[in-house]
DNA sequence: GGGGTTCGTCACAAGTCTGTCACACGCCGG
DNA sequence: CCGGCGTGTGACAGACTTGTGACGAACCCC
């Protein structure tokens, strides 16, 4: 990434400008939003590599925005800017899948160090491709369409496609139900014990003609979650 | 991971005990070290999922320990515990590859949230292929999977994988049942005389197709425990 | 050989995890 | 309003994991 673009979502203009200066000094391109709704629009439009998100904002709560953002762009990294004393929200934020949070007031060095760390981690994440072939099934994630070996096709629903997309982007490691709930459903998975993820996987497997007892595409790793094998493995 | 084990490296006993209580309350297993050198030993020995590291310590500076630890176990997550006003150290710590830091004084909620977040990220990190080959069997401990010489594969259960992992990390020396009970089961083995460990080994051997009467992988050292040969030995 | 100890394995029970069913709910296009 | 579709939920059965006592065999020391 030559020059990462960072979106600041923060209602306090003074802080926003200060943060902007720090980031620009650090060599990043910066975009700004004063409200959660406008921030969400900009982030969804694309071209953003990282979001700095204030939790306490009028109009749309930062956490709500985070939830919405996670649904729209599950892999876009987010750092929460939080004031001291927002304990419960902080915890919820991290549980919702924020990549980090910085407590106000923060120094320029600290902010840059965290931004750098998060960007580095996100760069390590393998890019999800828009189409892939697994076990004789060609999967077009853009069109949400599966083509089987015999040439027949079927469509995936929105949720199914999201889950498959995420699993594929994590190919080679097991992905837990909690992680899926966080990243795709935008749900805080504490204590949630529902069959939601399992059912989506079951429907996905049905479309993939994948036998759960002898899976060719989505393997179950008991106690850990689901996994798609990385390329080059059988 | 059923229950993560966290190592606290902190010279101030009061803080150490406080942190320990918080972590145990949060459901984690805890080990402690009062100096950097002893902490390094414990961390390198294995069985640790996360290190909480105080920066200011006598004998061995926390940053030095971090550097040494990074060389020995590059992927072991570390959270730095730092006092206010150590700005430059903080930044250096993050640059040295600490995964996070918490500023003293910190609340229980904040500590647990950070611990949880770092553990989550470390679980989501694409794992470097950490496989070992023993007697024609390729063992992928991350995925709990054994590949035999004939290409067939089988999965290990969580416990089996933990035990195999531990034995492999101690390759070359016998590991007693008590040590296994302590390190893996988290049980004080005094007076315990159960077949728990033996059964896990038996099941493991079955998956490994290892004949107890003529073992190729896990040898029984009567009176001492079990042992995996070090590489290069037959 | 005798007695005690250690080890491997069996059967079993309790607990946990998964896959699936049936159903309810909301959404959308007739 | 109806019916189809996608989706989430509770219930439930079956599979899997794991610890335990029982038991016999192997082993060790004398």
């Amino acid at each position: 990434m030559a020059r990462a673009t960072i979106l600041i979502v923060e209602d306090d203009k003074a802080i926003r400008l200060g943060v902007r200066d720090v980031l620009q000094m650090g060599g990043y391109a910066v975009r700004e939003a004063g409200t959660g709704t406008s921030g969400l629009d900009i982030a969804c439009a694309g071209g953003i590599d990282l979001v700095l998100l204030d939790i306490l904002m009028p109009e749309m709560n930062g956490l709500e925005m985070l939830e919405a953002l996670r649904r729209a762009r599950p892999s876009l990294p987010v750092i929460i800017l939080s004031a001291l004393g927002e304990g419960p929200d902080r915890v919820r934020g991290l549980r919702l899948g924020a990549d980090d949070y910085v407590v106000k007031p923060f120094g320029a060095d600290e902010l840059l160090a965290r931004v750098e760390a998060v960007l580095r981690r996100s760069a390590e994440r393998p890019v999800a491709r828009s189409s892939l072939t697994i076990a004789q099934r060609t999967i077009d994630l853009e069109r949400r369409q599966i083509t089987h070996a015999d040439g027949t096709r079927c469509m995936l629903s929105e949720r199914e496609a999201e889950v498959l997309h995420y699993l594929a982007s994590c190919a080679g490691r097991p992905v837990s139900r909690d992680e899926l709930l966080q990243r795709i459903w935008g749900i805080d998975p504490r204590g949630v014990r529902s069959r939601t993820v399992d059912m989506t996987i079951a429907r996905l497997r049905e479309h993939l003609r994948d036998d759960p007892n002898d899976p060719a595409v989505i393997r179950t790793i008991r106690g850990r979650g689901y996994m798609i094998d990385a390329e080059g493995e059988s």
Side-chain angles (χ1 to χ4, degrees), chain A:
Chain A
M1 194 164 334
R3 194 167 114 113
T5 301
I6 299 176
L7 170 64
I8 311 169
V9 185
E10 162 71 71
D11 60 315
D12 183 323
K13 196 171 179 185
I15 298 181
R16 202 167 69 226
L17 296 184
V19 171
R20 187 192 62 187
D21 288 349
V22 168
L23 293 176
Q24 286 179 338
M25 214 81 81
Y28 298 102
V30 178
R31 302 200 58 192
E32 301 171 48
T35 66
T37 41
S38 66
L40 196 55
D41 288 344
I42 297 175
C44 292
I48 302 294
D49 301 299
L50 171 67
V51 177
L52 294 184
L53 176 60
D54 184 24
I55 284 291
L56 285 183
M57 282 187 305
E59 197 177 322
M60 185 189 226
N61 182 291
L63 289 177
E64 292 167 29
M65 173 178 162
L66 180 54
E67 264 188 67
L69 188 59
R70 273 284 167 260
R71 272 195 292 276
R73 310 277 317 263
S75 65
L76 186 56
V78 174
I79 296 179
I80 289 181
L81 305 176
S82 94
L84 269 173
E86 301 169 29
D89 273 1
R90 245 188 277 169
V91 176
R92 262 195 73 206
L94 283 175
R95 288 226 163 90
L96 269 175
D99 293 78
D100 205 344
Y101 67 79
V102 185
V103 178
K104 300 177 195 170
F106 42 79
D109 277 356
E110 170 167 1
L111 182 62
L112 286 176
R114 292 218 182 255
V115 163
E116 196 179 303
V118 168
L119 284 175
R120 195 176 50 220
R121 281 200 297 266
S122 102
E124 285 169 9
R125 201 177 300 169
V127 190
R129 291 180 311 176
S130 65
S131 89
L132 60 158
T133 301
I134 303 172
Q136 316 237 352
R137 296 148 180 86
T138 302
I139 301 164
D140 184 333
L141 288 166
E142 293 293 332
R143 295 198 185 77
R144 301 180 354 210
Q145 187 179 63
I146 310 269
T147 308
H148 291 279
D150 59 11
T152 57
R153 293 179 182 178
C154 70
M155 302 298 290
L156 298 178
S157 77
E158 183 78 29
R159 270 277 187 267
E160 290 159 11
E162 284 179 307
V163 170
L164 184 55
H165 197 255
Y166 192 80
L167 287 178
S169 76
C170 301
R173 76 168 173 89
V175 179
S176 72
R177 290 175 177 71
D178 279 3
E179 184 178 343
L180 288 169
L181 283 174
Q182 281 180 169
R183 295 291 182 161
I184 294 183
W185 275 262
I187 290 176
D188 175 356
R190 264 179 306 177
V192 173
R193 191 152 300 278
S194 76
R195 310 276 83 218
T196 302
V197 174
D198 303 61
M199 277 312 301
T200 307
I201 294 285
R203 287 159 181 154
L204 200 38
R205 278 174 169 160
E206 194 178 343
H207 286 130
L208 290 163
R209 299 184 195 164
D210 201 20
D211 177 5
N213 297 311
D214 179 26
V217 184
I218 301 177
R219 283 210 279 157
T220 302
I221 314 290
R222 189 184 168 86
R224 294 224 188 152
Y226 298 99
M227 167 173 142
I228 289 179
D229 280 321
E231 297 178 78
E233 304 177 37
S234 61

